[in-house]
Amino acid sequence: MKSMRWKSIRKGGKRRFVLLHGMMGWGLVTAVIWVFIMGIMAKGRIPLDMSRLWVAFVIFPLAGIVMGLVLWNHCEAEYRKTIKREISDGEPGDGG
């Protein structure tokens, strides 16, 4: 059940979720992929100039924080809907 998984994840807290899933999970992974792709496009040379590294390792993780917040809010809304539905259907819910 999805709501049980989210219940477990949300116990870790919003800050932890945003840092792990947003900043690190999306932001840093995207940064590494972006640097790799830029290296391929530069015919094998890794683009080490500061402007590209700034974009890769500052802007992408910051955008990841936003992504994490959006994802947290979406998952919370879905979790609440599921819990309300289970309560109204008389199913044994997982509390909340």
Side-chain angles (χ1 to χ4, degrees), residues 6 12 14 17 24 26 43 55 61-64 74 81 86 96:
W6 179 247
K14 187 176 190 176
F17 178 85
M24 295 171 72
W26 186 87
K43 297 185 183 8
V55 168
L62 288 175
H74 171 75
K81 275 195 251 182
E86 287 175 356

Side-chain angles (χ1 to χ4, degrees), residues 42-56:
K43 297 185 183 8
R45 297 184 314 265
I46 299 295
L48 293 176
D49 66 76
M50 291 308 291
S51 65
R52 288 185 182 172
L53 290 177
W54 170 260
V55 168

